[in-house]
């Protein structure tokens, strides 16, 4: 269906949808005389709908992409205008205002584009869906406070950040010029600050502020998931918040969300005030606080100017309960942006809804930093290995060469550097606060580092080295961790992994490879007589395979690690074939120790 045909069909089937070619609404903060965007005109429909509470809502839908790679933009205008102020700040609605044809709108987020599949040949149905979805969201926003409350808490960190930015821009506008802005202490101390949360060892957080580079002075309150959904009050963004939000307004909101959290906050502030009075010392300018809700950080700053004035006026002798309450109520509070770099936020957020454990606090060793080991190391780091109180260790005595670039996870910046050291550097470049140890040695000379580990990964893909590792693993009593071996068969026809722990009767690496030279028949994943293609390079040979084989091996190992964390390691011997393999396939299974294995066979 063409664009023109769609427009005509909408006019016929929905005569109440008003069509026009309009400019894009222009975003503005205060100045309503801002000119519209003159870069183009777009197909625009306006629909008025009346809610159960007699609010009349005007929805503006504007199509800028008829291929619908991007969904239409939606805006709402309310009658009366005050109605929208009663639900802001809110999920789905922008705090910024937009102007078009002397009307004021707010941008409406009505759908997650990546979750919707459209039949793009039916453009009328897409437009109909967008309007229906807009009406549904708007109706819930204006008529269902519980919906707004639940949605607000789900998006609390985003809304919190939007409020912080909105209040700063509002403050910026009212100061009229940058000179006043940059010289104003509120800008430097409050609006420009960002709180970075670095570590969360045993529940205590390390925090720093970008604006002052001073150590964190304040309190951390971790609500976890024990809170009641509640909307943010409009006073958080009202004009009276230019000089901070009233502490009373903030405390009323926090009491509704978590009375215990408010009690902790009040106790922290009053304890500080009492300590200042007793010590007869000058108070600091502000206290910084941070609420933690489901690992999301909500930072704020409490301006202590009122308390400073009280101390300077020599009234400290009358610091009674009445004065304490008055000083709290008269204090002002500023919302701050924050960034949470703690392991539980970064590494568990992608799996917390899957009830999947992580490698945080575990000691993990990866032996071999080649094409396989490099991908495995980065994958395990993203599962939390090396975070919290744990340690991620990598050992490899080889240097990265130009020949490695085609299938190694590291790039040209690391050429001629030791692979283990380079991989440690790469992990630290990509992920914060990781404890990574690199050994630029051969594992054959350092079998002792397998001691004290929770998990060992043999990524050498070298049969001789794997045999030696397996023997040392069984001979040293102090090595108690399970070991996962992984390798690529021939030219990447399949990849395999083996999970083994010496306390359990299961096949070890020496069971699979007889004398370290070839696969025993019963373990061989390539049943056909298929020779390996090799290449010669300066008196040495290597086996060519695609980079996808390294990635597939890392994926196989990662899945096995996740299963181990859940206590579901079976099957312990796993094989994944490439799509091009059409021969007979070996089923993944649990194999018992081979009867003539020289390492693990038991009489």
């Amino acid at each position: 269906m063409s664009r023109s045909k769609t427009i005509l069909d909408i006019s016929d089937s929905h005569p109440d949808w008003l069509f026009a070619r309009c400019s894009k609404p222009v975003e503005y903060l205060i100045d309503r005389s801002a000119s519209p965007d003159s870069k183009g005109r777009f197909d625009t429909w306006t629909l008025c709908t009346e809610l159960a509470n007699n609010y009349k809502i005007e929805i503006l839908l504007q199509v800028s992409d008829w291929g619908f790679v991007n969904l239409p933009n939606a805006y709402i205008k309310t009658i009366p205008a005050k109605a929208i102020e009663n639900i802001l700040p809110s999920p789905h609605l922008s705090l910024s205002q937009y102007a078009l044809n002397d009307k004021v709108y707010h941008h409406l987020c009505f759908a997650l584009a990546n979750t919707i599949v459209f039949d793009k040949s039916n453009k009328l149905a897409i437009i109909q869906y967008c309007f229906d979805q807009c009406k549904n969201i708007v109706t819930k926003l204006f008529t269902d406070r519980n919906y707004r409350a639940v949605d607000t808490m789900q998006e609390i960190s985003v809304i919190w950040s939007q409020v912080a930015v909105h209040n700063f821009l509002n403050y910026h506008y009212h100061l009229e010029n940058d000179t006043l802005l940059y010289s104003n202490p509120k800008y430097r101390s409050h609006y420009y600050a960002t709180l970075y949360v670095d570590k969360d060892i045993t529940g205590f957080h390390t925090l720093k502020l970008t604006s002052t580079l001073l150590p964190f002075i304040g309190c951390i309150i971790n609500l976890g998931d024990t809170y009641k959904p509640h909307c943010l009050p409009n006073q958080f963004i009202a004009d009276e918040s230019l000089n901070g939000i009233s502490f009373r307004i903030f405390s009323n909101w926090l009491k509704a969300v978590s009375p215990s959290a408010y009690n902790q906050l009040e106790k922290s502030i009053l304890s500080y005030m009492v300590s200042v009075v007793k010590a007869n010392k000058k108070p600091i300018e502000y206290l910084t606080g941070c609420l933690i809700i489901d690992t999301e950080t909500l930072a704020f700053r409490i301006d202590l100017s009122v308390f400073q004035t009280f101390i300077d006026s020599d009234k400290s002798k009358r610091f009674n309960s009445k004065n304490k309450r008055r000083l709290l109520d008269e204090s002002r509070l500023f919302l701050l942006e924050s960034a949470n770099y703690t392991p539980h936020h970064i590494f568990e957020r992608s799996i917390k809804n899957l009830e999947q454990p992580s490698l945080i606090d575990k000691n993990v060793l990866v032996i071999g930093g080649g094409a396989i080991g490099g991908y495995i190391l980065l994958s395990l780091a993203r599962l939390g290995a090396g975070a919290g109180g744990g340690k991620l260790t990598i050992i490899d005595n080889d240097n990265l060469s130009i020949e490695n670039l085609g299938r190694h996870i590291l790039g040209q910046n690391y050429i001629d550097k030791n692979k283990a050291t380079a991989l440690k550097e790469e992990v630290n470049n990509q992920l914060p606060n990781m404890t990574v140890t690199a050994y630029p040695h051969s594992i054959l000379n350092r079998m002792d580092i397998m001691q004290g580990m929770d998990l060992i990964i043999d990524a050498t893909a070298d049969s001789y080295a794997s045999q030696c590792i397996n023997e040392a693993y069984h001979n040293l009593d102090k090595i108690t961790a399970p070991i996962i071996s992984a390798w690529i068969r021939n030219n990447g026809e399949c990849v395999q992994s083996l999970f083994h722990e010496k306390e359990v009767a299961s096949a070890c690496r020496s069971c699979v490879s007889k004398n370290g030279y070839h696969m025993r028949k019963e373990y061989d994943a390539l049943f056909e007589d298929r020779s390996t293609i090799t290449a010669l390079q300066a008196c040495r040979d290597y086996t060519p395979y695609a980079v996808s084989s390294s990635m597939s091996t890392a994926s196989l190992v990662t899945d096995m690690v996740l299963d181990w964390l859940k206590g579901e390691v079976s099957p312990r011997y796993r094989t994944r074939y490439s799509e091009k393999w059409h021969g007979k396939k070996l089923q993944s299974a649990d194999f018992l120790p081979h009867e003539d294995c020289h390492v693990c066979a038991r009489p």
Side-chain angles (χ1 to χ4, degrees):
M1 184 184 296
S2 67
R3 164 188 165 273
S4 56
K5 181 68 166 58
T6 301
I7 294 173
L8 289 174
D9 285 351
I10 291 176
S11 298
D12 292 339
S13 56
H14 300 282
D16 55 330
W17 295 10
L18 303 180
F19 174 78
R21 292 277 294 169
C22 298
S23 301
K24 184 178 180 180
V26 61
E27 182 179 2
Y28 71 101
L29 181 64
I30 300 296
D31 185 7
R32 298 196 176 189
S33 63
S35 59
D37 191 338
S38 59
K39 292 183 179 179
R41 302 178 76 81
F42 305 98
D43 296 322
T44 307
W45 285 269
T46 302
L47 171 65
C48 292
T49 183
E50 187 170 331
L51 306 181
N53 54 11
N54 295 323
Y55 281 158
K56 292 182 178 179
I57 307 297
E58 182 179 295
I59 302 174
L60 192 76
L61 199 69
Q62 194 166 71
V63 179
S64 59
D65 174 19
W66 277 99
F68 294 106
V69 174
N70 299 305
L71 287 176
N73 286 311
Y75 306 85
I76 67 169
K77 172 183 176 292
T78 61
I79 305 171
K82 276 289 182 183
I84 199 168
E85 295 179 6
N86 294 330
I87 65 169
L88 288 176
S90 174
H92 300 290
L93 287 179
S94 67
L95 295 179
S96 301
Q97 295 178 327
Y98 293 78
L100 179 65
N101 299 332
D102 299 322
K103 293 181 179 180
V104 179
Y105 295 89
H106 286 265
H107 187 269
L108 173 66
C109 177
F110 63 91
L112 297 175
N114 292 333
T115 64
I116 304 168
V117 178
F118 290 120
D119 177 4
K120 295 187 178 181
S121 64
N122 192 344
K123 295 179 172 56
L124 176 59
I126 298 175
I127 300 294
Q128 178 71 62
Y129 165 83
C130 293
F131 258 133
D132 290 343
Q133 187 71 358
C134 287
K135 289 169 63 177
N136 181 46
I137 295 294
V138 168
T139 300
K140 288 181 178 179
L141 287 177
F142 280 88
T143 62
D144 190 341
R145 181 176 176 82
N146 183 65
Y147 167 80
R148 270 198 300 125
V150 172
D151 230 20
T152 294
M153 299 310 290
Q154 289 178 343
E155 304 289 338
I156 187 66
S157 62
V158 175
I159 298 175
W160 193 278
S161 178
Q162 288 176 346
V163 171
V165 171
H166 176 272
N167 287 350
F168 159 67
L169 293 175
N170 203 1
Y171 185 71
H172 190 294
Y173 175 84
H174 279 83
L175 281 183
E176 295 180 350
N177 64 67
D178 289 345
T179 302
L180 287 174
L181 179 72
Y182 297 136
S183 63
N184 194 294
K186 281 189 174 63
Y187 171 79
R188 296 196 310 272
S189 299
H190 305 315
Y191 285 115
Y192 191 59
T194 299
L195 188 69
Y196 285 87
V197 187
D198 289 330
K199 298 179 181 179
D200 57 354
I201 300 175
T202 64
F204 293 93
H205 289 66
T206 303
L207 306 104
K208 57 185 177 181
L209 296 158
T210 54
S211 62
T212 60
L213 298 180
L214 294 175
F216 173 79
I217 303 175
C219 60
I220 303 295
I221 302 172
N222 195 338
L223 282 69
D225 58 0
T226 59
Y227 56 84
K228 296 178 181 178
H230 200 75
C231 301
L232 290 180
N234 182 254
Q235 290 93 329
F236 274 32
I237 57 172
D239 283 344
E240 57 261 31
S241 68
L242 284 172
N243 291 311
I245 300 165
S246 163
F247 184 81
R248 179 182 294 177
I249 296 296
F250 178 81
S251 64
N252 287 340
W253 171 79
L254 186 55
K255 287 176 186 176
V257 172
S258 172
S260 63
Y262 171 74
N263 291 334
Q264 291 180 58
L265 176 61
E266 183 185 69
K267 183 178 179 180
S268 297
I269 300 171
L270 292 180
S271 296
Y272 170 74
M273 289 181 173
V274 169
S275 67
V276 169
V277 171
K278 285 184 176 180
N280 194 25
K281 62 182 181 181
K282 185 177 179 62
I284 58 176
E285 296 178 358
Y286 49 80
L287 281 172
T288 305
C290 184
L291 304 176
I292 302 175
I293 297 179
D294 281 343
T295 78
E296 300 290 351
T297 52
L298 311 179
F300 55 88
R301 171 141 325 145
I302 302 171
D303 192 318
L304 296 180
S305 301
V306 175
F307 182 54
Q308 284 183 316
T309 303
F310 176 81
I311 295 296
D312 294 341
S313 64
D314 197 26
K315 294 180 181 178
S316 58
K317 293 181 180 180
R318 291 186 280 118
F319 190 62
N320 51 33
S321 298
K322 183 178 180 181
N323 279 330
K324 292 176 184 178
R325 174 55 53 193
R326 179 181 64 82
L327 290 173
L328 271 180
D329 288 344
E330 292 181 2
S331 296
R332 310 296 291 183
L333 183 140
F334 299 80
L335 303 194
L336 305 181
E337 289 193 271
S338 62
N340 189 352
Y341 289 105
T342 61
H344 286 87
H345 180 70
I346 291 178
F347 301 113
E348 289 189 349
R349 63 180 307 187
S350 62
I351 58 176
K352 64 182 181 181
N353 292 330
L354 301 177
E355 298 182 354
Q356 173 66 63
S358 71
L359 288 171
I360 295 174
D361 299 325
K362 296 282 193 300
N363 293 324
V364 181
L365 169 65
V366 177
I367 304 172
I372 298 174
Y375 281 100
I376 289 175
L377 190 82
L378 267 294
S379 297
L380 298 182
R382 284 184 166 81
L383 286 177
K391 182 173 67 174
L392 179 59
T393 303
I394 173 72
I395 181 169
D396 195 306
N397 66 331
D398 194 18
N399 290 348
L400 189 75
S401 65
I402 295 176
E403 290 81 7
N404 298 140
L405 294 183
R407 59 192 189 190
H408 204 282
I409 198 169
L410 296 176
Q412 62 178 348
N413 292 341
Y414 295 105
I415 289 177
D416 294 331
K417 288 187 178 181
N418 171 260
K419 290 178 181 177
T421 304
L423 284 167
K424 171 186 175 179
E425 184 178 339
E426 183 64 18
V427 171
N428 288 328
N429 284 339
Q430 293 190 27
L431 300 169
N433 307 308
M434 304 296 288
T435 302
V436 185
T437 302
Y439 289 90
H441 310 298
S442 168
I443 186 63
L444 302 179
N445 301 321
R446 291 301 310 270
M447 295 294 187
D448 59 295
I449 68 169
M450 289 193 285
Q451 300 177 17
M453 295 294 167
D454 296 305
L455 180 66
I456 301 167
I457 310 293
D458 170 17
T460 60
D462 179 276
S463 184
Y464 174 75
S466 293
Q467 291 289 324
C468 293
I469 293 169
N470 187 52
E471 291 171 4
Y473 173 73
H474 275 269
N475 292 332
L476 297 175
D477 293 336
K478 291 184 179 180
I479 303 176
T480 58
I483 185 168
I484 299 176
S485 302
W487 59 89
I488 299 170
R489 286 300 310 277
N490 287 18
N491 300 110
E493 289 86 355
C494 69
V495 299
Q496 295 186 280
S497 65
L498 174 70
F499 183 95
H500 178 64
E501 48 193 335
K502 51 190 174 184
E503 294 83 5
V504 177
S506 63
C508 72
R509 188 68 176 88
S510 298
C511 293
V512 174
S513 298
K514 183 179 181 181
N515 297 324
Y517 292 104
H518 60 275
M519 305 293 290
R520 294 182 190 266
K521 185 176 181 181
E522 55 265 50
Y523 302 108
D524 197 345
L526 302 180
F527 293 87
E528 300 174 7
D529 184 14
R530 185 184 180 93
S531 60
T532 304
I533 300 173
T534 59
L536 296 177
Q537 242 185 13
C539 298
R540 58 182 180 143
D541 69 309
Y542 70 97
T543 304
Y545 54 80
V547 66
S548 58
S549 298
S550 302
M551 298 169 70
S552 181
T553 310
S555 174
L556 180 61
V557 170
T558 301
D559 287 344
M560 186 169 271
V561 170
L562 290 173
D563 288 344
W564 166 69
L565 287 170
K566 292 187 295 184
E568 303 170 357
V569 294
S570 180
R572 293 169 177 256
Y573 187 45
R574 303 185 185 185
T575 304
R576 286 184 184 172
Y577 290 89
S578 71
E579 294 299 320
K580 292 184 178 180
W581 179 258
H582 299 296
K584 187 178 178 182
K585 295 182 179 180
L586 178 70
Q587 294 298 315
S588 296
D590 293 319
F591 286 94
L592 292 173
H594 200 275
E595 58 186 9
D596 66 350
C597 177
H598 69 286
V599 176
C600 72
R602 301 174 182 176

